[in-house]
Amino acid sequence: MTPLKTRQVMVGDLVRALGGGSAVARVIGVSPSAVSNWQRLGRFPARTYLQIRRRLKAKGKSAPEQLWGM
């Protein structure tokens, strides 16, 4: 398992790559504070996997699957 601090950095990097917390919140349909909590926890909820994966792919990026706690 990847250490929490490393996962927090990776989640933060992905959120920034997708346009920031507010942009991710709009895409997923949650509040910006929910996205902030995901960054603090160092993972996204599993239900967000497909939505975020599609957005990243459109930007030519990818993310490690361990960030979804699956």
Side-chain angles (χ1 to χ4, degrees):
M1 183 78 179
T2 308
L4 175 61
K5 189 67 173 170
T6 301
R7 290 193 326 264
Q8 289 171 325
V9 169
M10 287 190 292
V11 169
D13 289 346
L14 289 176
V15 168
R16 282 187 293 283
L18 292 171
S22 294
V24 172
R26 273 192 307 277
V27 167
I28 304 297
V30 299
S31 68
S33 64
V35 177
S36 179
N37 286 335
W38 301 343
Q39 289 179 270
R40 184 179 50 78
L41 294 170
R43 68 185 185 124
F44 297 98
R47 65 180 167 76
T48 65
Y49 177 72
L50 291 177
Q51 292 169 298
I52 292 176
R53 185 171 172 245
R54 280 187 211 121
R55 286 286 181 173
L56 288 169
K57 188 175 182 180
K59 293 180 176 276
K61 300 181 184 301
S62 64
E65 291 182 13
Q66 70 260 29
L67 295 183
W68 279 270
M70 295 191 275

